[in-house]
Amino acid sequence: MACLIQLLTRSAESPTRLPWWAQTQRQCAGPTYNAAVTNPLDIDEKIKVTGGSVLKGEVGVLGAKNAVLKEMVAMLMAAGVHRLTNVPGILDVSLMGRVLDHIGASCEFEGHTLTVQVPDEINPEAPLDLVRAMRASIVVLGPLLARTGRARVAFPGGDDLGSRPIDWHLDSLRQMGAEFKLEHGVLTGWVDGRLKGATLDLEFPSVGATENSILAAVIADGVTTINNAAREPEIQDIAAQLNAMGAKVTGAGTHTITIEGVGALHPVEHHVIGDRLEAGTYAIAGAITGGEVTIRNCDPAHLRMELRKLEEVGCEIERGDDFFVIAGPKRAKAVDFATLPFPGFHTDMQPQMVALLATADGTSIVTENLYDSRFRYIGELMRMGADVTTEWQHAVVRGVPTLSGCPVLAFDIRAGAALVLAGLAADGFTTVGDISHIDRGYEDLVGKLASLGAQIERLAG
Ligand code: UD1
């Protein structure tokens, strides 16, 4: 709490000096913020994109949002100075920085390097405004219980993607000896002594439940085995960071992860893996405009199913170790796909792929298996002339020859990206509002697409 007060006092004393989380946004070419704005989600800008350009060139992606957020939390497991490199300047990193600030750590962000000083004593608490703003904050639960034996975390409600419960996180932590009570919207957890290793059988390979369990187990007493674990590349990267800190995690990237608890961890410097979702978004930008784009700093094996489906629609793809080149067809062919945990088609690439299929030749059937509200953006796509019918978890996308630009709203990160991609292929211009969602996951989407030849700009609110 002391650190949060210091943070607020510091900003109040010198209004021109922004807290670190707002400075991250200033340093990066993308979003700009008013110094008086205390909530970084209060952005009233729009993205204007004019369709018709054929994208060509090279673009590099930064570190994976879905790895870096958990790696920031992993740093709480050891006192001292930690460093993460290849960190994207996105709003979610800023928000997680505020969670860390609240817990007592201090963060500095410069040139895509995040330095975090973690004190010996931490405040095991994550407040409602931050948990609501970014649901991934729930991953602090395991680490706080492991390090302090206590946690007070606002219970996350639903979000833009649906109800999103956390029952599997809690089940795993309970099996390791934690107890919980939910009162007045706040989840209080405690453990008598240290958490204890356990055999955890996840009923679904949940990314968050796997991560919370790993983070809790690394300094628990004894061995933890996670069966039916999520296999996402980001989890492998988090395990690599934890192992460098002195943890003993084996099997990350497979269905069974084993963690041998150790007495203590130490700080390290860790380079975050490339963001496959950012890479996949630029790949579809190339595909949807019939262009040719080289995407660097991302292992194409992390997008195996997505690239396979892009080949099925008619793209040509050349794969390297940490880059790939994609050339789009004149007009995509329809293709069916279903979202699934890795190595299946990523749900976070579903809206961008649907934007492409909206102008494909033929009818595609898309099945969304992860989230109950992931098709909300389709109404906006239909304003642009897309012909789509949704029925519960299925979307029937009848490709039309061309979309027509108009004002639309971004409901979540990937929906926002999908609408920008649709705008690249549409007749006339499209303005995308509520772009704080896009800023949560993309550093300078506008600048990077413009560097490939897109006619795109940010407009002040
Ligand atoms: C993470 C990613 C998100 C991605 C998702 C699936 C981050 C910050 N977010 O989210 O971008 O879309 O993986 O790849 O890394 N569920 C339960 N109970 C639980 C936990 C999950 O019912 O205790 C459900 C969820 O509501 C959802 C499904 O399981 O329907 C998958 O969720 P999960 O894999 O846990 O995703 P997240 O970790 O929340």
Side-chain angles (χ1 to χ4, degrees):
M1 184 60 89
C3 275
L4 177 69
I5 292 166
Q6 270 171 19
L7 179 80
L8 294 175
T9 323
R10 210 169 53 215
S11 338
E13 275 169 6
S14 54
T16 51
R17 186 170 164 204
L18 296 178
W20 80 271
W21 43 267
Q23 285 168 6
T24 58
Q25 306 301 329
R26 279 274 164 95
Q27 284 160 9
C28 303
T32 52
Y33 294 98
N34 182 328
V37 169
T38 51
N39 178 357
L41 294 179
D42 283 346
I43 304 168
D44 192 23
E45 293 172 80
K46 290 184 173 53
I47 291 176
K48 177 180 174 188
V49 52
T50 305
S53 304
V54 174
L55 301 201
K56 283 201 186 332
E58 277 194 26
V59 64
V61 301
L62 285 155
K65 170 182 90 68
N66 287 353
V68 77
L69 297 177
K70 328 303 169 58
E71 288 164 353
M72 290 172 74
V73 170
M75 298 193 275
L76 294 171
M77 304 294 291
V81 180
H82 301 248
R83 211 159 271 125
L84 285 176
T85 56
N86 200 29
V87 174
I90 54 176
L91 278 182
D92 272 11
V93 166
S94 307
L95 288 166
M96 189 57 93
R98 292 174 74 178
V99 174
L100 263 54
D101 277 329
H102 189 90
I103 289 171
S106 48
C107 309
E108 266 176 42
F109 184 74
E110 198 169 353
H112 298 124
T113 295
L114 181 67
T115 307
V116 178
Q117 168 102 44
V118 178
D120 290 328
E121 296 288 321
I122 57 172
N123 167 36
E125 213 178 67
L128 179 62
D129 56 340
L130 296 178
V131 177
R132 258 214 211 290
M134 188 184 53
R135 195 184 172 281
S137 328
I138 195 64
V139 85
V140 298
L141 202 55
L144 293 181
L145 282 168
R147 242 202 95 181
T148 70
R150 290 173 300 132
R152 263 175 64 78
V153 177
F155 195 85
D159 68 1
D160 305 313
L161 301 181
S163 53
R164 301 187 76 179
I166 57 162
D167 48 339
W168 303 328
H169 298 237
L170 301 184
D171 280 354
S172 293
L173 295 169
R174 274 196 194 101
Q175 287 179 66
M176 297 174 76
E179 292 180 64
F180 296 98
K181 79 172 176 212
L182 176 65
E183 270 181 347
H184 309 298
V186 177
L187 187 67
T188 304
W190 65 95
V191 57
D192 191 11
R194 283 173 73 188
L195 289 171
K196 294 194 179 37
T199 299
L200 310 173
D201 296 314
L202 295 184
E203 65 181 80
F204 180 87
S206 150
V207 172
T210 302
E211 291 163 342
N212 234 332
S213 308
I214 296 174
L215 288 164
V218 282
I219 57 168
D221 200 7
V223 176
T224 298
T225 305
I226 309 173
N227 294 317
N228 198 23
R231 293 189 279 165
E232 269 66 6
E234 291 79 15
I235 293 181
Q236 294 181 51
D237 199 53
I238 295 160
Q241 176 206 20
L242 287 166
N243 285 342
M245 291 169 71
K248 293 188 176 163
V249 182
T250 52
T254 74
H255 284 307
T256 307
I257 301 178
T258 307
I259 306 113
E260 197 181 316
V262 297
L265 300 177
H266 54 82
V268 291
E269 176 169 319
H270 177 76
H271 188 80
V272 184
I273 53 159
D275 195 321
R276 61 194 166 118
L277 302 170
E278 189 190 5
T281 302
Y282 296 125
I284 294 185
I288 207 167
T289 61
E292 182 172 320
V293 175
T294 301
I295 294 135
R296 300 213 172 268
N297 309 329
C298 172
D299 181 347
H302 295 166
L303 280 169
R304 211 160 61 205
M305 187 57 70
E306 295 78 4
L307 296 187
R308 201 177 112 185
K309 289 290 168 184
L310 285 169
E311 283 172 327
E312 282 181 36
V313 306
C315 296
E316 284 180 20
I317 299 176
E318 177 199 331
R319 295 165 174 81
D321 285 343
D322 69 343
F323 74 93
F324 60 97
V325 186
I326 180 163
K330 261 199 154 23
R331 186 176 182 195
K333 290 187 293 242
V335 73
D336 298 342
F337 75 95
T339 63
L340 282 171
F342 187 82
F345 196 102
H346 202 309
T347 176
D348 293 357
M349 285 298 302
Q350 182 255 95
Q352 302 91 309
M353 190 71 177
V354 168
L356 173 64
L357 297 177
T359 55
D361 186 9
T363 298
S364 309
I365 297 175
V366 178
T367 304
E368 170 58 49
N369 287 310
L370 275 291
Y371 296 116
D372 44 19
S373 301
R374 182 121 240 186
F375 286 139
R376 278 178 66 212
Y377 70 94
I378 280 181
E380 298 301 287
L381 210 51
M382 288 169 70
R383 297 196 70 232
M384 298 177 71
D387 182 358
V388 186
T389 315
T390 55
E391 177 76 37
W392 192 45
Q393 72 194 101
H394 303 289
V396 177
V397 186
R398 293 174 210 86
V400 294
T402 184
L403 297 173
S404 148
C406 68
V408 287
L409 291 177
F411 294 139
D412 67 68
I413 303 175
R414 309 302 163 187
L419 293 168
V420 170
L421 296 178
L424 289 172
D427 193 25
F429 69 86
T430 300
T431 50
V432 184
D434 279 357
I435 59 169
S436 58
H437 288 292
I438 294 177
D439 294 338
R440 291 185 60 173
Y442 294 89
E443 178 186 316
D444 198 16
L445 181 73
V446 167
K448 287 185 178 180
L449 288 174
S451 77
L452 296 172
Q455 285 186 67
I456 185 166
E457 60 185 317
R458 278 179 89 100
L459 303 177

